[in-house]
DNA sequence: CGGTTATTTGACGAGGTTCAACCTAGGTGG
DNA sequence: CCACCTAGGTTGAACCTCGTCAAATAACCG
């Protein structure tokens, strides 16, 4: 935890002192060896002492919570380069499991926090990561709160497309490493609804299946429109009066 | 307020010198005057340059996003003592409006960031705030993703009860300053469903209305059970085997 | 007191879930 | 090399929760 950082003993700084100053947050992790996890294997569990911060180096991780009756909510999928366990205090708020075979680097919280104290340049980078995490969480709240099944699936596909090849996923293929159940638990739907929605998108020629876990995006514009994010300019103008009524009921 | 007294005195003593080191993050805000907003008034808008950080000093704020068709998602309600605009980069990710008449203090981002650099003691406090924000966001994702209308409303009431008087809301009254529409947009429901659900809870004697915006919690245990969080210890143990099966489908 | 807005209540329908059957791919063993 | 087996995925039909539309009621404000 950050609060212990500035009172750290010298011995905790040893590793850091020997290492050159990292230029980027990610480089902190280069010193430690990589650990491997098989698909389905757990990395840590909700409620565990949050001793470590992780950097995914290969593969995909799912992060989730369980509530009554065993209902599961996947709050995110993490890809190579993503950091896990940043915005935590003493306990993990969620569990993490490997979706695919995963390799990751583990850094104890203490040296991580010490590095942040020692090298101020790292702090904005750290902060930016946390902000991204927050922004993602907010988008997910929007999705879960107000989007239809179709919009949810479209948004998810768009998200993966963007992650895999920048902002112009035209005609590109996307790979869905996770099961339909994972998707469902991420999108707040059931596997059946996810499956049906995908079928519908395929039928309309928006995407085209290339095996069960790969799709080609045939109509990226259409897919974007289906996300329901309403970021087109005309839309904004057209709905202004209606919005005012809805937003400011006073 | 204590923090006001501290600030005034310290400022006097250190007139021409460096500002005094604030003991707490919140005290940073004591120097600036309070601004007032009427109910329904906007404080900042999604997409605006994120120049300031705010501390609510009185009243309740709602924080929300708008998507296509004017659909609104309220991502949070902020009460006295809460900080707004912490986990942001250059632009606000959401809009903020006053639910009730609000008084708040505004601090420019730059001095805020400088204070964080200058006084390391503030950083863990800042970090803790951000973590709480994240934890809240995750709980909200769980609510929106997997909870029934009844569970959502119960969770909301419980949240307010806890905020108003600690962890034991037995027999206590809660005040809902926001409209049913606000509640609906926060819980991912419609006003009608919110209304009906409340009516049902009243009919079952779980809560009892005292005007439209005040309720007494008659059966806090029952209300807690209705939240669907399954956070009782026995529950966790009992469902362990079932969970494992659900979590690792491989 | 009258007009306005928020909330409640009712009837109905749609979107999504549930339950169940079926299909498909990938792995295993004969 | 093929048949079988199994887990994951798809499809169908009934059901149900919640959303929609409409009207009634209750609080609010001048």
């Amino acid at each position: 935890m950050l609060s212990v950082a500035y009172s750290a003993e010298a011995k905790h700084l040893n590793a850091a002192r020997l290492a050159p100053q990292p230029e980027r947050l990610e480089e902190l992790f280069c010193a430690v060896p990589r650990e491997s996890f098989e698909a389905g294997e757990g990395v840590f569990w909700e409620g565990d002492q949050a001793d470590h911060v992780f950097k995914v180096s290969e593969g995909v991780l799912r992060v989730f919570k369980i509530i009554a009756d065993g209902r599961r909510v996947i709050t995110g999928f993490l890809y190579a380069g993503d950091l896990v366990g940043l915005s935590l205090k003493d306990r993990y708020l969620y569990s993490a499991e490997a979706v695919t075979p995963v390799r990751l680097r583990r850094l104890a919280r203490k040296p991580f926090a010490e590095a942040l104290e020692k090298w101020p340049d790292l702090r904005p980078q750290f902060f930016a990561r946390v902000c991204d995490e927050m922004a993602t969480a907010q988008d997910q709240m929007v999705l879960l709160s107000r989007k239809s099944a179709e919009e949810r699936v479209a948004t998810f596909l768009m998200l993966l497309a963007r992650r895999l090849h920048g902002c112009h996923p035209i005609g590109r293929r996307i790979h869905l490493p996770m099961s339909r159940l994972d998707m469902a638990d991420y999108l707040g739907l059931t596997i059946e609804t996810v499956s049906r929605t995908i079928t519908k998108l395929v039928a309309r020629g928006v995407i085209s299946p290339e095996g069960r876990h790969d799709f080609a995006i045939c109509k990226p514009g259409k897919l974007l429109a289906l996300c329901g994010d309403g970021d087109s300019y005309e839309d904004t103008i057209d709905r202004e009066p209606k919005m005012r009524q809805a937003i400011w009921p006073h």
Side-chain angles (χ1 to χ4, degrees), chain A:
Chain A
M1 189 170 163
L2 273 179
S3 54
V4 297
Y6 49 87
S7 61
E9 305 295 330
K11 62 181 175 180
H12 294 304
L13 290 169
N14 280 346
R17 206 190 284 135
L18 294 174
Q21 172 163 353
E23 290 174 8
R24 289 177 298 121
L25 191 58
E26 296 85 342
E27 289 167 16
L28 280 175
F29 290 85
C30 292
V32 294
R34 297 201 293 183
E35 296 173 45
S36 291
F37 294 82
E38 293 169 28
E41 201 176 342
V43 176
F44 57 80
W45 302 97
E46 180 177 354
D48 283 1
Q49 197 71 35
D51 296 326
H52 298 90
V53 179
F54 302 86
K55 185 193 163 201
V56 180
S57 143
E58 244 175 64
V60 180
L61 227 52
R62 65 175 163 249
V63 160
F64 62 91
K65 285 175 157 256
I66 302 279
I67 58 171
D69 332 331
R71 282 174 283 183
R72 184 180 70 162
V73 177
I74 293 183
T75 53
F77 294 105
L78 298 166
Y79 282 72
D82 291 337
L83 302 184
V84 196
L86 291 189
S87 51
L88 297 167
K89 296 201 281 192
D90 54 331
R91 310 232 154 227
Y92 291 116
L93 297 171
Y94 41 73
S95 308
E97 287 173 349
V99 171
T100 65
V102 161
R103 318 198 74 184
L104 48 78
R105 298 184 197 274
R106 173 200 301 263
L107 196 57
R109 259 193 123 56
K110 207 156 194 174
F112 180 76
E114 284 162 9
L116 278 180
E117 280 303 312
K118 193 168 183 185
W119 296 304
D121 293 0
L122 292 181
R123 290 203 282 267
Q125 297 174 32
F126 170 72
F127 183 61
R129 293 280 191 155
V130 173
C131 287
D132 285 341
E133 209 176 313
M134 198 67 218
T136 304
Q138 303 224 353
D139 288 341
Q140 192 64 4
M141 285 194 262
V142 169
L143 180 144
L144 295 170
S145 183
R146 288 286 178 235
K147 287 191 179 179
S148 69
E150 190 171 79
E151 288 171 332
R152 294 182 196 205
V153 172
T155 305
F156 182 66
L157 294 177
M158 211 61 202
L159 203 75
L160 290 191
R162 276 204 260 257
R163 194 199 293 271
L164 293 179
H165 20 252
C167 287
H168 276 294
I170 301 166
R172 306 306 291 278
R173 292 172 66 248
I174 54 177
H175 177 64
L176 311 175
M178 68 291 293
S179 69
R180 296 290 190 264
L181 180 59
D182 282 339
M183 292 178 58
D185 285 349
Y186 180 65
L187 297 175
L189 302 168
T190 59
I191 40 176
E192 292 94 334
T193 303
V194 169
S195 180
R196 276 187 255 269
T197 307
I198 289 176
T199 302
K200 212 193 304 175
L201 290 177
V202 169
R204 285 200 248 153
V206 179
I207 56 176
S208 135
E210 307 185 346
R212 287 226 271 243
H213 292 276
D214 293 271
F215 292 87
I217 301 183
C218 310
K219 301 178 182 169
K222 186 84 197 210
L223 187 62
L224 184 59
L226 289 174
C227 292
D229 290 321
D231 38 18
S232 104
Y233 190 61
E234 308 88 52
D235 281 9
T236 311
I237 298 297
D238 287 340
R239 82 169 175 273
E240 193 75 11
K242 199 174 163 191
M243 278 171 63
R244 299 208 106 84
Q245 193 184 4
I247 299 169
W248 298 298
H250 300 277

